[in-house]
Amino acid sequence: MEQGNKTKVSEFLLLGFSEDPELQPLIFGLFLSMYLVTVLGNLLIILASISDSHLHMPMYFFLSNLSFVDICFTSTSIPKMLVNIQTQSKAITYTGCITQMCFFLFFIELDNFLLTVMAYDRYVAICHPLHYTAIMNSQLCGLLVLVSWILSLLHALLESLMVLQLSFCTNLEIPHFFCELNQVVQLACSDTFLNDMVMYIASVLLAGGPIAGILYSYSRIVSSIHKISSTQGKYKAFSTCASHLSVVSLFYCTGLGVYLSSDVTHSSHSSATASVMYTVVTPMLNPFIYSLRNNDVKRALRRLLWIRKV
């Protein structure tokens, strides 16, 4: 294919969930509520982790980072969707679309890496409890988070720069509520073989690698818990990683469900609806999972909100 003059694109159209005008107020209210709950819930987790000295531990350092990323993650797509509904416009500029896609890739990959780092933290805490403080020192914790940020940023920039090399046809309608990488690439007129290959390789390395790391960590954790003689000891050991395991299951199961459902139904609108689970619902539920299943977090939140136990 010739590398002729590339089509200059000024904007894309985000089709969202429904074009029915009567449903727009309902969609607006629902997503605004979920967004506010997500921001408030995760912000409380961050403030509790910072203000309470009992939570100045590696696990809560990673949790506060995860909460910050979840706020940013939902903020890449939901506010723009709410503005479009309010203004009755579906347009997003070309620059805005690429920027949104870049930040979305960055924060979802960062979420992925942080969950892996938290699994490693739980592995060290349960399998090497006597050396936990020495291994999970502040330098290593900071390095793990820094590496996660760098790898996520490099991946997001690579994918975004490759999209910038594509030329686009006249059909610029994206059947989604945000600029999702695969949907944008499908609109291109030029050859997307290289883009598809990079997406495939990135999926294998940057998604398969962390999943393998999490599974390995939990296989060792289960093995260590199995060796504990007392039932109470087993329960106590498992309870320290129950919240993280719940969040991991929710994040990966919903994400996997989105791509399986899109492959089965071949419907972009179905994929957009399913994407709500991991882009909005999962970040919203994370603070509740950690606060309801973790006594340290509950006590910190009570102190933060001046709630006294009766």
Side-chain angles (χ1 to χ4, degrees):
M1 181 177 293
E2 294 184 1
Q3 301 292 326
N5 293 330
K6 295 186 178 180
T7 307
K8 291 186 178 180
V9 178
S10 60
E11 63 180 26
F12 292 94
L13 297 179
L14 297 172
L15 300 184
F17 300 101
S18 172
E19 298 183 13
D20 188 349
E22 296 181 357
L23 288 178
Q24 299 308 306
L26 176 62
I27 295 173
F28 180 87
L30 178 62
F31 278 87
L32 177 61
S33 301
M34 289 193 294
Y35 179 66
L36 292 176
V37 170
T38 301
V39 172
L40 180 60
N42 283 288
L43 187 59
L44 286 174
I45 293 292
I46 295 171
L47 293 175
S49 299
I50 294 173
S51 62
D52 196 310
S53 59
H54 295 89
L55 299 186
H56 292 173
M57 300 167 56
M59 179 172 68
Y60 301 111
F61 170 71
F62 296 134
L63 176 59
S64 60
N65 274 272
L66 181 68
S67 295
F68 173 74
V69 171
D70 280 341
I71 292 174
C72 298
F73 181 37
T74 54
S75 297
T76 60
S77 56
I78 303 304
K80 177 58 180 175
M81 186 192 74
L82 295 176
V83 169
N84 280 7
I85 293 176
Q86 191 66 21
T87 58
Q88 297 183 351
S89 169
K90 298 180 183 297
I92 181 172
T93 64
Y94 175 78
T95 303
C97 185
I98 300 299
T99 302
Q100 184 186 65
M101 182 184 66
C102 182
F103 277 105
F104 184 87
L105 288 170
F106 173 58
F107 287 118
I108 193 172
E109 198 59 60
L110 192 50
D111 234 342
N112 190 25
F113 282 126
L114 285 175
L115 289 174
T116 308
V117 169
M118 293 171 77
Y120 175 71
D121 173 72
R122 292 300 82 206
Y123 157 72
V124 176
I126 294 175
C127 299
H128 305 284
L130 299 179
H131 301 93
Y132 177 74
T133 305
I135 296 174
M136 299 304 296
N137 54 62
S138 57
Q139 289 83 3
L140 179 62
C141 293
L143 180 62
L144 289 173
V145 171
L146 179 62
V147 170
S148 298
W149 278 73
I150 292 173
L151 289 177
S152 302
L153 180 61
L154 290 176
H155 171 237
L157 288 176
L158 173 63
E159 296 281 13
S160 301
L161 289 173
M162 292 191 65
V163 171
L164 287 173
Q165 304 305 311
L166 299 174
S167 58
F168 292 90
C169 306
T170 55
N171 179 23
L172 300 176
E173 294 182 344
I174 302 175
H176 221 299
F177 64 95
F178 65 94
C179 291
E180 197 265 335
L181 174 62
N182 190 48
Q183 297 287 347
V184 174
V185 171
Q186 287 180 11
L187 295 178
C189 291
S190 52
D191 185 17
T192 63
F193 174 77
L194 190 57
N195 297 73
D196 293 334
M197 285 300 297
V198 171
M199 279 192 286
Y200 176 77
I201 294 172
S203 298
V204 172
L205 295 179
L206 300 180
I211 290 174
I214 291 172
L215 291 175
Y216 174 77
S217 295
Y218 273 102
S219 68
R220 296 295 301 272
I221 288 171
V222 170
S223 178
S224 295
I225 291 176
H226 183 69
K227 294 176 182 178
I228 299 175
S229 56
S230 66
T231 305
Q232 185 178 0
K234 290 181 178 180
Y235 175 79
K236 185 178 179 180
F238 179 77
S239 64
T240 62
C241 56
S243 298
H244 175 258
L245 188 58
S246 301
V247 170
V248 166
S249 301
L250 188 62
F251 180 79
Y252 287 109
C253 288
T254 53
L256 184 61
V258 168
Y259 292 102
L260 288 179
S261 65
S262 61
D263 288 341
V264 172
T265 61
H266 300 287
S267 170
S268 298
H269 283 288
S270 298
S271 176
T273 304
S275 296
V276 175
M277 287 302 296
Y278 76 92
T279 57
V280 184
V281 176
T282 299
M284 181 182 69
L285 293 180
N286 286 355
F288 294 98
I289 292 173
Y290 273 98
S291 60
L292 291 175
R293 300 187 65 93
N294 191 301
N295 290 326
D296 291 334
V297 175
K298 283 193 285 188
R299 282 192 292 267
L301 288 173
R302 289 194 192 100
R303 282 191 284 267
L304 181 66
L305 299 173
W306 296 94
I307 297 175
R308 299 300 181 209
K309 206 171 184 180
V310 180

